[in-house]
């Protein structure tokens, strides 16, 4: 009896995402679908625990997968904008009042008398804990939406997003992408100027320092915009082929009408009373919009160099965000009270189990998305 022969044992490869290269980099659309899914989930709840979980999920994915590109540094700015929105919402609630009744007064401000035509508007008066809590929940929801958009802005390359747009939307997409790149570049300029002032021993805080930094930042942004416009014009951006007027008018009607149908259908699906007409409008709008985009692509004379490919990892990233949105919408129909904790009477919010577990699906990009190179490593042109 002979012993069974065994071949060479192959080393088992660890189950982790590969390093990011130009061939496996995720399309920008996948990151935007993931972020919009989280934003849709945030729009369906005012539970501060779920909103905080959504912010934590978005922040973890950004920390794990963002690069050292200029647009990747804008996430902190969006967090500050979100906190500012929460503060403004609280200030408006304190000084302009709230329709939320309350039985726990905190303090009373002097109330300004208003004429009869301004009946229903109040300036000053009693401030209750219930109205402040309602304003905090409302502001936290809007802040979470902004932070989710900031996550997409930090992870998606705007140039790759512009390259992926259909030909019919290319002219509008150029304006949108240029506007999207303005904020990250301005943040990078502010960081660079503050570092330079700190190295020279000059103060970086205070009104005087802000004014001295703001002028070079605006000047640099203007010069960069002019340079981008000149380079895009030199490369043929914005040029289109000649098509008959009937085709052009049909394209505009189909595209605009289809997009309006998509908006109305989406609103109908998200609203509680519009579930009957929401789906037909959404389907009709999608068909019209796709027909318009297909017809409008004939005007585009540009070619694509190495188009983005949607692989399994891109679909997993986009699908995780969509799954979070669908699960939250479903949870809102099953148990709406868990997603909207009451403020009258004052009650502590409770973390619902299944919606919280669904939000954790949004962490999938931190596992499956390619790992960007470390900040200290030399950058490869293949990634761009």
């Amino acid at each position: 009896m002979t012993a069974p022969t065994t071949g060479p044992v192959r080393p088992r490869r660890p189950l982790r995402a590969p390093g990011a290269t130009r061939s496996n980099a995720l399309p920008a659309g996948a990151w935007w679908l993931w972020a919009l899914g989280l934003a849709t989930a945030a729009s369906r709840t005012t539970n501060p625990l779920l909103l905080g979980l959504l912010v934590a999920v978005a922040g973890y994915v950004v920390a794990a997968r963002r690069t050292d590109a200029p647009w990747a540094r804008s996430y902190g700015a969006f967090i500050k904008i979100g906190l500012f929105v929460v503060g403004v919402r609280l200030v408006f609630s304190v000084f302009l009042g709230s329709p939320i009744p309350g039985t726990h007064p905190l303090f009373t401000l002097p109330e300004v008398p208003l004429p009869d035509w301004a009946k229903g508007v109040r300036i000053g008066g009693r401030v209750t804990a219930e109205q402040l809590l309602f304003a905090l929940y409302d502001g936290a929801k809007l802040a979470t939406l902004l932070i989710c958009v900031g996550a997409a802005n930090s992870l998606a390359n705007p140039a790759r997003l512009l390259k992926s747009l259909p030909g019919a939307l290319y002219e509008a997409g150029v304006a949108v992408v240029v506007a999207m790149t303005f904020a990250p570049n301005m943040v990078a300029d502010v960081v660079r100027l503050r570092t330079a002032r700190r190295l020279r021993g000059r103060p970086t805080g205070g009104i005087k320092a802000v004014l001295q930094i703001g002028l070079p930042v605006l000047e640099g942004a203007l010069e960069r915009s002019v340079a981008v416009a000149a380079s895009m014009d030199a490369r043929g951006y914005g040029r289109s082929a000649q098509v008959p007027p009937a085709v052009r008018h049909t394209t505009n009607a189909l595209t605009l009408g289809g997009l309006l149908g998509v908006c109305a259908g989406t609103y109908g699906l998200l609203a509680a009373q519009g579930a009957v007409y929401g789906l037909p409008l959404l389907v009709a709008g999608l068909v019209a919009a796709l027909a318009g985009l297909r017809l409008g692509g004939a005007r585009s004379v540009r070619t694509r160099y190495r188009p983005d490919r949607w692989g399994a990892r891109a679909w997993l990233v986009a699908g995780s965000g969509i799954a979070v949105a669908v699960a939250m919408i479903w949870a809102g129909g099953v148990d709406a009270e868990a997603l909207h904790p009451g403020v009258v009477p004052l009650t502590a919010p409770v973390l619902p189990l299944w919606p919280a577990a669904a939000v954790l699906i949004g962490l999938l990009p931190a596992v499956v998305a390619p790992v960007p190179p470390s900040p200290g490593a030399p950058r490869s042109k293949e990634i761009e």
Side-chain angles (χ1 to χ4, degrees), residues 232-258:
M232 293 175 72
D233 181 69
R235 288 170 172 80
Y237 283 87
R239 300 174 189 173
S240 58
Q242 294 294 332
V243 294
V247 175
R248 189 169 62 251
H249 296 327
T250 305
T251 301
N252 294 334
L254 286 175
T255 305
L256 293 178

Side-chain angles (χ1 to χ4, degrees), residues 341-370:
V343 296
V344 181
L346 288 175
T347 55
V350 178
L351 182 64
L353 181 60
W354 290 110
V359 170
L360 294 181
I361 300 175
L363 288 173
L364 189 61
V367 180
V368 301

Side-chain angles (χ1 to χ4, degrees), residues 275-341:
V276 177
Y277 63 85
L279 186 59
L281 270 179
L282 180 61
V283 173
L286 281 176
V287 172
L290 290 177
L293 295 178
R294 180 72 177 175
L295 197 59
R299 296 181 58 196
S300 177
V301 294
R302 66 189 175 95
T303 58
R304 291 182 180 178
Y305 176 64
R306 295 194 298 190
D308 289 335
R309 296 178 179 176
W310 281 69
R313 297 182 184 277
W315 285 113
L316 285 174
V317 170
S320 64
I322 296 174
V324 173
V326 172
M328 195 66 74
I329 293 174
W330 172 80
V334 174
D335 188 6
E337 294 183 358
L339 302 187
H340 300 278

